[in-house]
């Protein structure tokens, strides 16, 4: 006997388990009380048990007027749903009589598949074995499905974030196949987990919209995944299908919300019908295409999974809608694992293919890099050899230029003196001596250490000392030990040597001096080299001749400064050399 209360109206009638609330009162909320009797010829030696595969949305069970089990809020709806899992209730032996009255009261929410399944009362061990047998299939099995879908979805999403569609593509676009498979599996995990979550994070009916739309999103993402596999993405009708599926989801969010909140289950059923019809037509076309002449192995694998799930879904529809118990299981949840496996295999194959292309591209790039490195090394060696050769040529050219300007000019002057017949023998001899000194210094300059001022001055003293002595000029030497000028190379050192020589040559030729002093000092940030004589002097203000002009040009090239002052009895030339 069942007593129901719906919107303040109380009815009483006979009922047979299983009792489905939505089939008797679609779109309505209410309460129901079931009264039944059972007898025991002998009192049980141990406890009895009651096993219910499904009872909810909330319940209270009494035996002979004493509550022996209850769960959920009986006064108000929208909270937890106890109908998500089986229940096992223990009956103490002292409560069992020869004639027993069993009372089951439920609170039913619309759209939650509330009701009571077949009730089994018996020995504790017997009903416990039935409970665990059903729990392993119904609850543990769904946990396995959820975990599997989550693992596949997370793995595919990670691949979408990290793997490009084409490793040799410059834009490095992500592969949508990974994204669609990830979204499909994550949506399916959300859908299946709804069958396990008794206390949802949102109140009812707001939470009811989530698993329904998750099912629709699963179908859309699955269809998009299949289109990627058989390369229908760029087909002319593909864009229209994507717009249609987006419209289904948008309209579905409104229809499902109104259907559950307003107690109009026909809206939800209508949306299910349009969505199911859409994917049924797509599945037929996809299966026909996959098993055709142009079908691929991946497409056939997916089509096989689609056919299997379609057959299982149809079987569930017939079984659950034609008198099956309220606690019966939807086997589509479990057959979906095969579809998930097919997805995973295709994703793995795509990943291996992309990885193989990436490895090939990487090996090609590495080979190209090695070839380029070899070419660059050869080019560098050639440039280095050319640079050394150019440096040698430049050095030789400079030496020859210095010899031409120095030795050549002195020899030319001696020839003119001899041809003119006016110059005295001593003058011609002096010119030839200067030419010889210049030649020796040019040869010595080839072996001067870079930046070594002391070496330059020592070499000049070695070469010019005998000349000065033979000319009756006393050499006063006051040279400190100076550091090396780090920024100078051999060419710069050679330039300094010719500058010092030019100063001494001018003294020999024009000063008529009896003493010459060479000094070199380290004064803070610079070195000062001075050449001073006690000759007749010259007018510094007059336009500089060739020797003085050459001296200043060399100094400017080396970053030096030249200071000259002269008067009868004292002429001083200072060469200022900065260290930096």
């Amino acid at each position: 006997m069942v007593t129901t209360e719906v919107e303040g109206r109380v009815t009483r009638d006979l009922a047979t388990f299983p009792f489905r609330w939505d089939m008797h009162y679609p779109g309505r909320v209410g309460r129901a009380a079931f009264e039944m009797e059972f007898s025991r010829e002998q009192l049980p030696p141990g406890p009895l048990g009651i096993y219910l595969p499904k009872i909810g949305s909330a319940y209270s069970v009494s035996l002979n007027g004493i509550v022996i089990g209850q769960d959920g809020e009986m006064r108000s709806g929208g909270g937890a749903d106890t109908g998500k899992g089986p229940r096992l209730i223990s009956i103490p032996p002292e409560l069992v009589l020869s004639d027993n009255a069993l009372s089951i009261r439920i609170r039913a929410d619309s759209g939650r598949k509330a009701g009571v399944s077949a009730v089994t009362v018996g020995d504790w061990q017997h009903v416990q074995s039935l409970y665990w047998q059903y729990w392993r299939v119904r609850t543990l099995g769904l946990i396995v499905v959820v975990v599997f879908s989550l693992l596949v979805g997370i793995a595919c999403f990670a691949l979408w974030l990290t793997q490009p569609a084409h490793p040799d593509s410059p834009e490095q676009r992500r592969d949508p196949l990974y994204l669609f498979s990830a979204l499909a599996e994550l949506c399916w995990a959300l859908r299946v987990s709804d069958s396990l979550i008794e206390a949802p994070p949102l109140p009812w009916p707001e939470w009811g919209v989530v698993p329904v739309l998750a099912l629709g999103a699963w179908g859309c993402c699955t269809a998009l995944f299949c289109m990627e596999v058989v390369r229908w993405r760029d087909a002319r009708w593909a864009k229209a299908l994507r717009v249609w599926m987006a419209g289904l989801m948008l309209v579905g969010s409104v229809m499902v919300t109104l259907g559950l909140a307003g107690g109009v289950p026909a809206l939800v059923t209508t949306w299910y019908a349009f969505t199911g019809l859409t994917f049924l037509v797509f599945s037929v076309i996809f299966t026909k295409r996959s098993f055709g002449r142009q079908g691929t192995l991946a497409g056939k694998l997916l089509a096989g999974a689609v056919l299997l799930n379609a057959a299982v879904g149809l079987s569930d529809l017939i079984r659950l809608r034609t008198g099956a118990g309220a606690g019966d299981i939807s086997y589509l949840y479990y057959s979906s694992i095969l579809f998930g496996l097919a997805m995973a295999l295709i994703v793995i194959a795509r990943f291996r293919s992309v990885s193989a292309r990436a490895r090939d591209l990487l090996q090609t790039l590495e080979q190209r890099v090695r070839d380029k490195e070899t070419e660059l090394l050869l080019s560098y060696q050639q440039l280095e050899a050319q640079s050394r050769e150019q440096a040698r040529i430049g050095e030789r050219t400079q030496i020859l230029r210095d010899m031409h300007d120095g030795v050549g000019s002195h020899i030319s002057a001696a020839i003119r003196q001899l041809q003119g017949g006016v110059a005295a023998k001593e003058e011609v001899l002096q010119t030839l001596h200067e030419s010889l000194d210049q030649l020796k210094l040019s040869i010595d300059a080839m072996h001067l250490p870079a930046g070594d001022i002391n070496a330059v001055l020592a070499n000049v003293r070695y070469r010019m000392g005998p000349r000065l002595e033979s000319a009756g000029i006393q050499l006063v030497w006051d040279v400190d030990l100076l550091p090396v000028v780090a920024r100078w190379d051999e060419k710069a050192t050679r330039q300094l040597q010719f500058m010092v020589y030019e100063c001494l040559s001018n003294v020999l030729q024009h000063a008529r001096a009896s003493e010459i002093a060479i000094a070199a000092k380290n004064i803070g940030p610079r070195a000062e080299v001075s050449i001073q004589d006690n000759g007749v002097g010259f007018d510094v203000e007059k336009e500089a001749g060739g020797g003085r002009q050459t001296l200043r040009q060399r100094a400017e090239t080396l970053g030096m400064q030249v200071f000259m002052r002269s008067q009868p009895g004292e002429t001083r030339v200072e060469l200022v050399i900065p260290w930096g």
Side-chain angles (χ1 to χ4, degrees):
M1 183 63 67
V2 57
T3 302
T4 59
E5 180 184 351
V6 180
E7 297 178 349
R9 182 181 179 183
V10 179
T11 59
R12 185 175 175 83
D13 200 355
L14 292 175
T16 303
F17 289 135
F19 181 87
R20 299 182 182 178
W21 180 269
D22 286 334
M23 295 185 66
H24 292 83
Y25 306 102
R28 300 291 182 266
V29 298
R31 294 176 177 82
F34 303 89
E35 307 290 342
M36 66 203 79
E37 297 178 351
F38 67 93
S39 302
R40 295 282 296 190
E41 296 180 358
Q42 296 180 353
L43 296 179
L48 297 182
I50 301 177
Y51 162 56
L52 301 102
K54 182 178 180 67
I55 181 170
S57 302
Y59 70 89
S60 175
V61 180
S62 303
L63 180 64
N64 299 325
I66 299 176
V67 176
I68 58 175
Q70 62 182 2
D71 197 358
E73 178 58 50
M74 293 292 293
R75 295 181 180 179
S76 60
D81 184 5
T82 62
K84 295 299 182 68
R87 290 297 190 273
L88 179 62
I89 303 173
S90 175
I91 303 177
E94 59 270 18
L95 296 183
V96 181
L97 304 175
S98 298
D99 295 317
N100 300 276
L102 180 64
S103 175
I104 299 177
R105 299 178 182 274
I106 66 169
R107 174 189 56 79
D109 292 333
S110 173
R112 275 187 152 181
K113 299 180 181 179
V116 181
S117 63
V119 180
T120 302
V121 181
D123 294 335
W124 175 255
Q125 292 183 349
H126 173 64
V127 295
Q128 188 181 43
S129 64
L130 294 177
Y131 169 82
W132 285 114
Q133 180 180 357
Y134 183 79
W135 184 90
R136 283 190 292 269
V137 177
R138 169 65 171 73
T139 304
L140 183 60
L142 293 185
I143 292 175
V144 172
V145 173
V146 171
V147 172
F148 172 79
S149 297
L150 284 176
L151 291 176
V152 174
I154 293 173
C156 292
F157 190 72
L159 289 175
W160 179 74
L161 288 176
T162 58
Q163 301 297 318
H166 304 287
D168 54 346
S169 177
E171 66 270 15
Q172 293 285 296
R173 183 176 59 85
R174 293 188 178 121
D175 195 339
L177 182 132
Y178 298 142
L179 178 61
F180 295 144
S181 58
L183 294 178
E185 288 301 305
L186 293 176
C187 290
W188 186 248
L190 178 60
R191 169 68 180 185
V192 177
S193 64
D194 176 62
S195 299
L196 300 170
I197 302 174
E198 292 189 358
L202 296 175
W204 187 267
E206 286 82 353
W207 174 254
V209 179
V210 175
V212 176
L213 294 183
L215 179 63
W218 172 74
C220 293
C221 294
T222 299
L224 293 172
F225 178 86
C226 294
M227 291 169 63
E228 288 291 327
V229 171
V230 295
R231 300 178 181 177
W232 281 352
R233 184 199 327 148
D234 299 326
R236 288 180 296 179
W237 53 267
K239 183 178 180 180
L241 179 60
R242 287 193 288 267
V243 172
W244 172 260
M245 289 190 294
L248 275 179
M249 294 302 299
L250 182 62
V251 173
S253 62
V254 177
M255 293 181 65
V256 173
T257 301
L258 294 177
L260 293 178
V264 187
L267 291 176
V268 181
T269 303
T270 301
W271 182 77
Y272 270 131
F274 274 102
T275 305
L277 182 61
T278 297
F279 296 128
L280 178 62
V281 173
F282 177 83
S283 299
V284 171
I285 298 174
F286 177 76
T287 302
K288 182 179 178 181
R289 165 67 170 76
S290 298
F291 284 100
R293 293 181 179 180
Q294 299 179 350
T296 62
L297 179 61
K300 293 177 181 179
L301 182 64
L302 272 182
V306 168
L307 288 176
L308 177 62
N309 279 275
V312 173
L314 181 61
S315 173
D316 284 346
L317 180 63
I318 296 174
R319 180 169 53 85
L320 298 178
R321 294 293 181 180
T322 56
D328 280 2
I329 304 168
S330 174
Y331 295 114
L332 179 62
Y333 287 161
Y334 306 100
S335 65
S336 65
I337 291 183
L338 295 176
F339 192 84
L341 285 173
M343 271 189 172
L345 291 175
I346 292 173
V347 167
I348 292 173
R350 174 67 66 88
F351 175 70
R352 292 184 61 184
S353 175
V354 172
S355 299
R357 294 204 306 270
R359 286 194 300 271
D360 293 341
L361 178 62
L362 183 60
Q363 292 175 356
T364 302
L365 289 176
E366 288 178 349
Q367 184 60 44
R368 290 179 180 177
V369 169
R370 286 194 294 268
D371 294 341
K372 289 296 182 182
E373 287 179 347
T374 303
E375 293 179 5
L376 288 174
L377 180 60
L378 293 175
S379 299
Y380 175 76
Q381 292 175 348
Q382 292 175 356
L383 289 175
E384 188 178 17
Q386 292 175 359
S387 177
R388 289 196 300 267
E389 183 63 25
Q390 289 177 355
R392 285 194 295 267
I393 293 173
E395 185 177 5
R396 293 168 183 169
T397 302
Q398 184 63 40
I399 293 173
L400 291 174
R401 184 181 298 113
D402 293 338
M403 292 178 66
H404 175 270
D405 295 341
V407 179
S409 63
H410 285 90
I411 294 176
S412 298
I415 292 174
R416 287 195 298 271
Q417 289 173 343
L418 291 174
Q419 289 177 343
V422 178
K425 176 181 178 182
E426 290 75 11
E427 294 178 357
V428 177
L429 187 60
Q430 175 71 16
T431 303
L432 292 176
H433 276 301
E434 291 178 358
S435 176
L436 183 60
D437 293 336
Q438 183 75 33
L439 178 60
K440 291 178 180 179
L441 288 173
S442 298
I443 296 173
D444 292 340
M446 299 173 64
H447 306 289
L448 285 174
D452 194 340
I453 300 175
N454 290 105
V456 170
L457 297 178
N459 187 63
V460 172
R461 180 182 183 182
Y462 171 73
R463 291 299 182 188
M464 298 298 294
R467 283 285 315 283
L468 295 173
E469 184 178 356
S470 64
I473 301 175
Q474 181 183 357
L475 176 62
V476 179
W477 188 261
D478 185 15
V479 176
D480 294 342
L481 182 61
L482 302 178
V484 174
V485 183
R487 58 188 175 86
W488 278 5
D489 55 8
E490 292 84 353
K491 180 180 179 181
T493 307
R494 187 166 57 247
Q495 294 295 324
L496 176 63
Q497 182 191 61
F498 285 120
M499 293 174 68
V500 176
Y501 171 75
E502 183 70 24
C503 293
L504 296 179
S505 179
N506 288 335
V507 173
L508 285 171
Q509 293 183 49
H510 310 293
R512 299 196 297 274
S514 61
E515 182 181 285
I516 186 169
I518 298 179
K521 303 295 179 183
N522 183 6
I523 304 175
R526 65 186 186 275
E528 290 187 0
V529 178
S530 64
I531 299 97
Q532 181 175 331
D533 66 82
N534 59 353
V536 296
F538 62 92
D539 189 356
V540 179
E541 300 300 328
K542 287 187 177 181
E543 184 178 355
R548 278 186 287 165
Q549 186 175 0
T550 301
L551 192 67
R552 295 187 184 279
Q553 290 176 351
R554 292 182 189 269
E556 184 179 354
T557 302
L558 299 179
M560 297 167 48
Q561 291 179 304
V562 178
F563 298 98
M564 299 181 184
R565 68 173 182 269
S566 180
Q567 62 183 5
E570 182 183 4
T571 297
R572 181 180 178 86
V573 178
E574 290 183 0
L575 307 177
V576 180
I577 307 169
W579 295 122

